[in-house]
Amino acid sequence: MSSKRVIIVGGVAGGASAAARARRLCEDCEIVVFERGPHVSFANCGLPYFVGGEIVEHDSLLVQTPDSLHARFNLDVRVKTEVLRIDRHGRRVHVREVETGREYDEAYDALILSTGAAPLKPPIPGIERPNHFTVRTIPDVDKIMAWSRGCERCRAVVVGGGYIGLEMAEQLRHRDFQVTVVEALPQVMTPLDPEMAAWLHAELRDNGVTLHLNDPVAAFEAPTPAEPARASIVVLKSGRRIPADSVVLGLGVKPETKLAREAGLEIGALGGIRVNEHLQTSDPDIWAVGDAIEVHDFVTGQWALIPLAGPANRQGRIVADNVFGRSSRYEGTLGTAIIRLFKLTAGCTGANEKSLRRAGIAYQALHLHPNSHAGYYPGAEPIALKILFAHETGKLLGAQAVGHDGVDKRLDVLATALKVGMTVNDLAGLELAYAPPYGSAKDPVNLAGMAAQNVLAGDVGIAQWSDVPSPALLLDVRRDDERASGFIPGSIHIPLDQLRARLGELPRDREIVVYCESGQRSYYAARILSQRGFRVRNLTGSYRTWTMTQR
Ligand code: FAD
């Protein structure tokens, strides 16, 4: 093995992972990690939980330290040291010690950039006012903790309903702050389709979070004499003025590409560093990973920015392989993500409807509400499950799930299925772990596959919550007591068990869209009706999905 000199810029998720793997591949190499901040390998994903008090010890956020990385991996980790420039021709980096200002050069044989992403701060008037916080580093949350100490029932406004904003909203509620979430778009968590995000809207409101959707921030202002003496007034485009003791900015992130840009490396149209499948930049001696790079969306094949810890960590391993001559490929990112919001868990993997439409890929969408485990065993909870699959082939394209129990394991099965290119037939045939406390003999993932098989086989047509055609007759086949607790306006009611006897009440010259609570009994009804010559479709997800979209 050659004794290369490897320099890594950025010592957190991707950088630390690359450094540790590099050492495992080359005991004699010199490996230097430069990190601008005071910490390496810290738990950025844990930061909101430290603010909320679920993670109690500050030191728990430090997964490794420069000393522990030196002891275990013989890494030369230099914190508080910023890389200012790359001299590609001389194969050197120019660095500055943040505290002393001392500047010097270091030579490299291979350079790995894991410079991450920076919180977005759009030019909204007043965005830099006091008590406005971003959440990216330990010093960021130290500032939030310093502000919040001694602050009782303070009012925090979280701007941005992405996962960092929502995790912060949850954690600030845990600490009994009054919390408002402001989102410019009509929904939070945009990787979810709107009817799935609707569950999160309800959970936020049910837990005392005030939610303003579809209303971007126009300005942050000082309070007028007539307003409460707060740190800022958050002024929305609608004219609403929200007093805030603090503002948490969760407006997304943008790749940190200054070094790469100034060194003339290729930058993609989305603003991330362009790399090939071996994570090599346009300079063969320079590699890049993590939030700073553009990746291929695994499903659509399009370039994408997907800033997540799993991809960054795996890329760190792959890049080290390639630096040391092992041809290792990064195959693209599925965007598998999960969030806990109070008692709810929500997650997604692969494409959503927006990304499929953008990519021009024909798809079918199915909603189900299966139980998390056998219904007869105590504690079963419905999971709102959505799958997207290719119109012609049945290939799985994406999945989303929301619920109180069992969401994470279904999501991980579906993410695995996506990665290996499974079809809905494969999902129907999966043999998954079952005992009553854990699942059902037909697991939700099996049921999703079977329901999709029914569609592909032409056994049932489906209607979506968003396109219940107005001339169609809506038929509710639930029980009387279910009907009494609410129904879709304009629908008629024939309980499923009476349907065969009451076919004469239904028109043969109109399409019938049939619904029940979850879509299962309405599927049975659709089969009865279609075999009796009626034109019929099943409302996928049925009343449960439809009601969520109305909240
Ligand atoms: P980072 O881990 O951000 O590391 C980049 C480092 O490079 C920074 O420390 C920076 O100081 C340093 N740097 C940049 N430029 C220079 C320079 N010129 N010289 C020296 N050093 C430099 N992802 C998930 O998948 N699940 C989660 O639950 C999750 N939760 C998150 C919660 C929060 C609050 C945050 C902030 C992120 C979360 N993420 C989560 C995202 C995840 O943390 C990132 O995707 C991941 O850390 C990216 O790794 P990276 O190595 O690209 O960048």
Side-chain angles (χ1 to χ4, degrees):
M1 180 63 63
S2 69
S3 58
K4 274 188 172 174
R5 189 156 211 266
V6 181
I7 286 188
I8 299 172
V9 188
V12 191
S17 174
R21 173 73 174 165
R23 173 59 70 223
R24 292 194 291 274
L25 297 180
C26 182
E27 189 56 23
D28 294 329
C29 293
E30 209 179 327
I31 303 168
V32 185
V33 180
F34 288 112
E35 169 53 55
R36 172 173 69 189
H39 307 103
V40 277
S41 196
F42 67 89
N44 20 23
C45 309
L47 297 177
Y49 303 100
F50 179 64
V51 172
E54 285 189 50
I55 296 175
V56 179
E57 298 296 333
H58 194 268
D59 281 359
S60 307
L61 296 172
L62 303 174
V63 182
Q64 296 283 353
T65 64
D67 286 347
S68 69
L69 287 170
H70 179 73
R72 172 106 5 126
F73 298 111
N74 190 22
L75 300 177
D76 177 356
V77 179
R78 305 185 198 171
V79 290
K80 300 183 191 169
T81 309
E82 181 169 14
V83 175
L84 298 178
R85 276 190 306 281
I86 304 167
D87 168 8
R88 285 169 52 190
H89 302 293
R91 292 209 290 188
R92 311 177 76 77
V93 291
H94 184 71
V95 306
R96 178 173 59 205
E97 291 175 356
V98 175
E99 283 180 341
T100 64
R102 185 172 84 90
E103 297 193 9
Y104 57 93
D105 284 356
E106 287 288 359
Y108 64 81
D109 298 309
L111 176 65
I112 300 173
L113 303 177
S114 185
T115 46
L120 276 175
K121 276 197 182 178
I124 302 171
I127 197 163
E128 299 290 356
R129 287 184 59 75
N131 291 352
H132 285 200
F133 303 112
T134 52
V135 190
R136 183 81 199 173
T137 62
I138 292 180
D140 286 344
V141 293
D142 288 343
K143 285 186 210 152
I144 298 176
M145 295 302 271
W147 159 76
S148 64
R149 266 182 219 114
C151 192
E152 275 180 28
R153 291 198 55 72
C154 279
R155 188 184 285 261
V157 175
V158 176
V159 183
Y163 68 87
I164 295 177
L166 295 186
E167 286 174 356
M168 285 300 294
E170 181 208 57
Q171 292 299 308
L172 290 166
R173 276 303 291 146
H174 281 179
R175 291 190 51 193
D176 213 21
F177 288 108
Q178 299 174 59
V179 179
T180 299
V181 173
V182 173
E183 168 57 56
L185 297 173
Q187 68 165 91
V188 299
M189 279 289 280
T190 50
L192 296 176
D193 287 320
E195 75 282 14
M196 302 299 283
W199 297 88
L200 300 181
H201 301 163
E203 187 72 5
L204 284 165
R205 291 181 170 128
D206 290 350
N207 284 280
V209 175
T210 307
L211 181 61
H212 297 297
L213 296 170
N214 219 359
D215 203 355
V217 174
F220 301 95
E221 294 180 356
T224 63
E227 286 175 317
R230 309 279 189 176
S232 283
I233 302 293
V234 183
V235 185
L236 305 189
K237 191 166 168 233
S238 62
R240 188 187 294 274
R241 298 173 68 82
I242 310 167
D245 295 302
S246 82
V247 171
V248 175
L249 299 168
L251 291 160
V253 294
K254 65 166 192 293
E256 280 257 13
T257 56
K258 185 167 174 286
L259 272 182
R261 229 175 250 279
E262 289 178 359
L265 300 179
E266 188 184 349
I267 304 291
L270 302 173
I273 303 171
R274 269 286 160 90
V275 291
N276 64 19
E277 61 183 357
H278 302 293
L279 303 172
Q280 196 169 31
T281 69
S282 51
D283 179 326
D285 295 323
I286 306 180
W287 317 71
V289 298
D291 291 0
I293 65 168
E294 290 186 7
V295 290
H296 275 115
D297 178 313
F298 186 82
V299 175
T300 66
Q302 298 186 335
W303 288 107
L305 294 170
I306 306 181
L308 288 171
N313 276 274
R314 293 197 311 281
Q315 289 160 9
R317 178 181 168 91
I318 290 170
V319 85
D321 282 357
N322 284 301
V323 164
F324 291 103
R326 296 190 180 192
S327 180
S328 215
R329 286 174 57 235
Y330 186 69
E331 294 171 336
T333 302
L334 281 170
T336 308
I338 191 160
I339 181 172
R340 186 199 67 196
L341 193 61
F342 302 101
K343 294 203 172 70
L344 209 62
T345 303
C348 56
T349 183
N352 57 31
E353 292 202 50
K354 286 162 284 201
S355 58
L356 290 173
R357 278 199 293 265
R358 249 193 332 264
I361 298 174
Y363 65 91
Q364 287 272 18
L366 260 190
H367 288 277
L368 295 89
H369 297 275
N371 277 329
S372 55
H373 59 249
Y376 59 80
Y377 184 86
E381 296 273 358
I383 298 173
L385 183 60
K386 175 175 187 175
I387 62 164
L388 298 155
F389 56 97
H391 220 39
E392 299 289 320
T393 60
K395 190 170 177 209
L396 186 65
L397 300 171
Q400 301 166 37
V402 186
H404 292 110
D405 180 42
V407 166
D408 53 345
K409 90 166 177 172
R410 274 53 187 231
L411 210 55
D412 279 344
V413 171
L414 289 161
T416 310
L418 263 171
K419 188 73 203 290
V420 297
M422 284 191 187
T423 66
V424 294
N425 292 328
D426 297 318
L427 296 186
L430 285 178
E431 187 177 324
L432 300 170
Y434 162 61
Y438 299 108
S440 297
K442 282 181 194 150
D443 188 85
V445 173
N446 296 136
L447 289 174
M450 290 169 189
Q453 282 179 321
N454 295 337
V455 174
L456 285 180
D459 290 345
V460 64
I462 48 172
Q464 299 293 335
W465 64 274
S466 52
D467 83 26
V468 179
S470 54
L473 177 78
L474 264 174
L475 171 63
D476 179 352
V477 295
R478 294 174 304 159
R479 296 185 313 266
D480 290 342
D481 60 313
E482 292 171 302
R483 175 84 178 173
S485 67
F487 55 87
I488 303 180
S491 59
I492 63 161
H493 180 223
I494 304 178
L496 175 62
D497 294 343
Q498 299 172 20
L499 187 61
R500 288 187 181 86
R502 295 174 59 184
L503 292 178
E505 296 173 32
L506 294 171
R508 291 190 175 270
D509 58 345
R510 281 173 77 187
E511 183 181 45
I512 299 171
V513 172
V514 61
Y515 75 89
C516 63
E517 193 65 18
S518 69
Q520 190 175 2
R521 281 170 292 164
S522 49
Y523 163 62
Y524 304 154
R527 290 300 299 150
I528 294 171
L529 292 173
S530 63
Q531 291 182 73
R532 293 285 172 220
F534 290 89
R535 264 194 311 131
V536 61
R537 281 192 290 161
N538 185 14
L539 181 62
T540 180
S542 273
Y543 191 65
R544 247 180 231 160
T545 298
W546 182 84
T547 358
M548 281 317 295
T549 66
Q550 307 301 307
R551 283 188 66 169

